Amino acid sequence: MILLNGRSLTAPLLARIAAGEAVSLDEGALALVAENRAVVDRIVAEGRTVYGINTGFGQFATVVIPPEQLQLLQLNLIRSHAAGVGEPLPKDQTRALMAARINCLLKAHSGIRPEPIRLLTECLNRDVVPVVPSQGSVGASGDLAPLAHMALMLVGEGLAWSGDQHIPGGEALAQAGLKPVTLQAKEGLALINGTQLITSLGNLALEKFTRLAGLADEIAGLSLEALRGTRAAFDPRIHAVRPHPGQIAVAERMRDLLGDTSAIAESHRDCHRVQDAYSLRCIPQVHGVTRDTLAFAGAILERELNSATDNPMIFTDTQESRSGGNFHGQYPAFACDVLAIAAADLASISERRQERLVNPAYSDLPAFLTQNGGLESGFMMAHVTSAALVSEMKGLAHPACVDTIPTSAGKEDHVSMGPIAARKLLRAVDALEQVLAIEARMALEGLRILGLAPAAGLQPLMDRLAKACAPWADRAMFEEIHATLGALRAHQESHP
């Protein structure tokens, strides 16, 4: 089991939870949750008027709710805020959302009892997953609508997954031997007021993107060998005088992959070419800034994953409630948007290498990597697919976080649109994987045509691709791309 304690959740761990791994709760953190809850109970007992505990919400913050209606207040909040529309999140993404919210509540600043946290954890571990529509959040005051759909199931309402079907939330709980919870003061708000949709989807995309960035270096190495490129541009002295960490790291990786020479390098040692095109020569610079962007955005997303993002915040040490803006999703929204830009650029340079692989004006290879041009079209349309994907990714790279529409009668007058940024990022990362797969398949064919062995550091990937894909003769290209994707994923698992 993966231990949740509010402090140490990471993108790789969240991906494992999304894939089905169970979680456990840190008992020390739950003890702090109980102490924090006592502050809320004291506020209610003393009759103090505190936003989110015994008042209305948003524009209704000045409406005081009597004690006998506080349970109904929280239930009404969940019901009214479950206003999401659109396609439901896939189950794995919803599991990540649940885990991220549990981790946030374990920060012990939400004023919730341990009981709802335990129920949400049991639902996660027994795969009782709510149906959460993907649209309806503007990323401030938190991801209210999607989290409200999650919370509805905990009170025995809403919808849950049963196979590919939807069943009532109460029925799903009963089938798992679980009972719904009755929400007390502040608990409905504690369940829905946070950035966990942006943060969970952003971290899932981050984990996959990080793996693809490493794979992109290897695929670029195959293309460089197939195009008879030079290793000169990876000389460490070049990169030492422009000391960006990502650039230096990628140049070092390329030197490790390519070594000092190979049969291919020896075959053109005295050729007429002086230097390569940018898509080969500038691999460290372009792939490198992607690494630096992943580090920058990844730090934001991991901090957010282990942050308290409620409002109001409950402070146990001073027995106080304080209103603030930790629910605002601008931090993770910025991170997701900049990652989408990085993904688009990494795909763009891959597509340029693909152009060089299929265009005989740029290489020693036959047009479209087929020896039977005319009768066969070779990789002509595979390149077209890449071009289509890269063009779409340029649209996805337009930032969502620069937009805002005031909501809640002007009270929420600047919002992050972070959920849009996170969903765009997931689409961009999926498209990047497809683009890289097409480059890998083209590079494999180019190397086969040359009939010379690539550098030893590239051989494991070359072998994996060769095993999955027979030498080319025109056949269903989509099947070839799927086979390449499978080979790349298997390679990543064996070379993490």
Side-chain angles (χ1 to χ4, degrees):
M1 286 190 176
I2 293 171
L3 179 69
L4 298 181
N5 56 20
R7 304 184 305 274
S8 57
L9 190 54
T10 64
L13 289 175
L14 189 69
R16 285 165 54 187
I17 296 169
E21 197 158 336
V23 303
S24 60
L25 302 177
D26 182 274
E27 290 300 325
L30 282 174
L32 295 177
V33 167
E35 292 178 20
N36 189 250
R37 173 64 197 182
V39 179
V40 175
D41 292 336
R42 187 170 295 111
I43 290 171
V44 173
E46 292 174 357
R48 283 186 273 161
T49 300
V50 176
Y51 173 75
I53 294 178
N54 48 20
T55 71
F57 307 100
Q59 187 70 11
F60 296 124
T62 57
V63 179
V64 179
I65 309 300
E68 65 273 13
Q69 293 185 319
L70 293 184
Q71 289 184 3
L72 180 59
L73 171 69
Q74 299 302 310
L75 182 58
N76 285 344
L77 174 71
I78 298 301
R79 288 168 168 167
S80 66
H81 282 54
V85 298
E87 288 296 314
L89 296 176
K91 279 185 65 176
D92 62 332
Q93 294 179 15
T94 307
R95 286 182 56 85
L97 174 69
M98 296 164 72
R101 192 60 198 161
I102 292 168
N103 200 59
C104 175
L105 296 172
L106 290 174
K107 297 292 293 183
H109 288 291
S110 304
I112 194 170
R113 293 171 299 150
E115 286 82 353
I117 301 176
R118 290 188 187 278
L119 176 58
L120 188 55
T121 303
E122 285 298 318
C123 288
L124 187 60
N125 287 343
R126 302 185 194 195
D127 206 33
V128 182
V129 179
V131 175
V132 177
S134 58
Q135 295 172 288
S137 173
V138 296
S141 301
D143 293 316
L144 296 170
L147 287 168
H149 282 273
M150 179 197 77
L152 264 184
M153 188 185 73
L154 301 182
V155 299
E157 300 184 12
L159 295 172
W161 290 97
S162 177
D164 294 330
Q165 304 299 314
H166 301 167
I167 63 173
E171 182 180 333
L173 290 177
Q175 288 179 1
L178 300 172
K179 295 182 179 179
V181 68
T182 299
L183 298 177
Q184 305 299 318
K186 178 66 165 68
E187 291 187 330
L189 189 58
L191 286 168
I192 71 173
N193 201 198
T195 62
Q196 279 64 54
L197 180 67
I198 314 170
T199 307
S200 58
L201 299 188
N203 273 281
L204 291 180
L206 170 72
E207 194 272 339
K208 183 174 182 178
F209 191 177
T210 301
R211 289 186 288 105
L212 289 176
L215 185 62
D217 298 339
E218 293 185 72
I219 294 171
L222 290 178
S223 293
L224 184 131
E225 288 281 71
L227 292 165
R228 299 178 187 258
T230 177
R231 291 153 168 74
F234 309 129
D235 188 316
R237 295 170 296 178
I238 295 172
H239 307 285
V241 295
R242 193 197 192 197
H244 292 296
Q247 178 177 330
I248 290 173
V250 172
E252 182 180 2
R253 178 98 192 280
M254 298 306 293
R255 292 195 301 272
D256 289 344
L257 290 169
L258 294 165
D260 295 328
T261 189
S262 68
I264 292 174
E266 288 300 318
S267 73
H268 64 96
R269 179 178 291 276
D270 299 316
C271 72
H272 65 280
R273 286 175 294 184
V274 177
Q275 57 186 11
D276 292 325
Y278 292 175
S279 59
L280 300 176
R281 196 192 333 162
C282 299
I283 289 168
Q285 289 79 5
V286 178
H287 288 212
V289 74
T290 298
R291 287 202 185 197
D292 288 338
T293 301
L294 282 163
F296 163 74
I300 290 175
L301 288 168
E302 186 170 313
R303 280 196 300 270
E304 191 76 5
L305 196 57
N306 294 285
S307 294
T309 56
D310 297 50
N311 182 57
M313 307 292 293
I314 308 299
F315 295 96
T316 307
D317 54 350
T318 58
Q319 303 286 294
E320 290 180 296
S321 169
R322 284 287 184 269
S323 288
N326 279 5
F327 52 70
H328 201 294
Q330 207 69 7
Y331 265 105
F334 260 74
C336 290
D337 277 333
V338 74
L339 286 174
I341 292 170
D345 195 50
L346 196 60
S348 179
I349 196 171
S350 171
E351 182 276 327
R352 287 295 77 203
R353 289 190 293 266
Q354 292 172 42
E355 165 72 8
R356 307 194 80 79
L357 286 164
V358 299
N359 188 337
Y362 296 141
S363 74
D364 302 323
L365 300 168
F368 305 109
L369 300 171
T370 176
Q371 307 278 24
N372 299 303
L375 177 64
E376 294 183 353
S377 296
F379 289 81
M380 181 187 299
M381 287 307 298
H383 178 234
V384 172
T385 297
S386 267
L389 289 168
V390 171
S391 184
E392 183 173 350
M393 290 176 73
K394 292 173 183 175
L396 295 173
H398 180 82
C401 67
V402 297
D403 184 34
T404 182
I405 296 178
T407 58
S408 194
K411 176 78 75 172
E412 299 161 5
D413 59 351
H414 182 279
V415 299
S416 74
M417 300 300 177
I420 300 171
R423 295 201 317 274
K424 289 195 303 93
L425 174 59
L426 282 166
R427 288 173 57 195
V429 171
D430 285 346
L432 171 62
E433 184 181 34
Q434 301 279 355
V435 172
L436 291 175
I438 292 172
E439 181 187 358
R441 183 61 188 88
M442 287 182 179
L444 169 67
E445 201 61 28
L447 291 168
R448 279 173 165 161
I449 291 169
L450 290 180
L452 296 170
L458 298 169
Q459 200 63 53
L461 177 57
M462 175 83 171
D463 291 343
R464 180 77 69 171
L465 291 168
K467 184 177 180 180
C469 303
W472 183 256
D474 270 8
R475 51 185 178 266
M477 181 61 75
F478 80 95
E479 294 178 350
E480 200 74 6
I481 296 171
H482 288 329
T484 306
L485 279 170
L488 293 178
R489 289 167 183 168
H491 177 72
Q492 287 180 297
E493 290 177 6
S494 60
H495 295 79

